[in-house]
Amino acid sequence: MMRALVTVLAGAMVLSACSEGVSPLPPPSAMKPGQGSGSVTPVDPADVLAGGGSVARPPPPAPSGEQPPPDEDGEEVPPPVALPPPTGSAEVVGAGAEPTPLSEVQQVDVDFVVSGVRNKGVVDVEFIAPGGRPYEKRSATVEAPPEETRTLRYSLPVAGTPVSMSRMTGTWQVRFFLDGVQLVSTSFTLEP
């Protein structure tokens, strides 16, 4: 019991010596004018802004019938031009443009014409074998301003490939995509 009393008294003595948490200045009600760090008169909040400034306010809303004010240079900014969606066309050229016997075809060439590319895009082409099974897929990057067209030629080798060795005759589909969106498809026929 004596040990507990000594501990409590020692704690009280340590706490009374601690000045942490106590303000070094007396409360404002106990201060008399002229005391403290100096005599300072309070400043009106409107006087805080030097040079007679005022409180910042948002600009008033523009009337609905008027145009917004021009830029600082005095030039009006034209409204953004809506770009047309990308478009494409595809055409089989050379051998394969008409139904052709498989033994006479070295390769089939397909031209893809794309416009409306927004600076840079990824073109994917898929060659689909007769029966609907994917045979080959390729990708290429195309760069062009939206107002220009680009032509890409894709060739499907036939002679000496599984196409001729497995006698993959029938109608082939060729699908073209720009950034994952199908734009166009075409077909060609390899006869037995």
Side-chain angles (χ1 to χ4, degrees):
M1 172 88 165
M2 186 65 154
R3 194 178 279 170
L5 183 60
V6 170
T7 305
V8 170
L9 289 174
M13 192 164 115
V14 168
L15 287 176
S16 66
C18 180
S19 64
E20 189 174 313
V22 178
S23 173
L25 298 176
S29 60
M31 289 184 69
K32 296 178 188 156
Q35 273 187 330
S37 60
S39 177
V40 179
T41 56
V43 178
D44 188 24
D47 290 342
V48 172
L49 298 172
S54 62
V55 177
R57 291 185 181 89
S64 60
E66 292 184 21
Q67 294 283 336
D71 274 354
E72 294 174 10
D73 299 337
E75 297 177 18
E76 289 191 24
V77 177
V81 177
L83 297 175
T87 59
S89 63
E91 181 183 6
V92 179
V93 293
E98 298 292 325
T100 310
L102 179 65
S103 59
E104 296 177 14
V105 179
Q106 294 293 314
Q107 68 183 27
V108 176
D109 295 322
V110 184
D111 284 350
F112 175 57
V113 180
V114 63
S115 63
V117 177
R118 288 169 173 76
N119 299 324
K120 188 175 185 179
V122 176
V123 173
D124 295 312
V125 59
E126 292 179 346
F127 288 93
I128 309 297
R133 295 189 57 169
Y135 178 76
E136 188 172 286
K137 181 178 179 178
R138 296 187 215 152
S139 296
T141 301
V142 62
E143 294 185 34
E147 63 275 0
E148 292 184 12
T149 62
R150 293 288 188 260
T151 302
L152 304 167
R153 177 165 285 180
Y154 291 92
S155 298
L156 176 69
V158 174
T161 67
V163 174
S164 65
M165 290 188 271
S166 299
R167 314 244 347 121
M168 299 174 81
T169 58
T171 301
W172 287 69
Q173 295 292 316
V174 186
R175 299 183 206 161
F176 292 93
F177 300 82
L178 178 65
D179 295 328
V181 177
Q182 184 173 346
L183 294 183
V184 68
S185 66
T186 190
S187 62
F188 60 90
T189 302
L190 299 176
E191 294 181 335

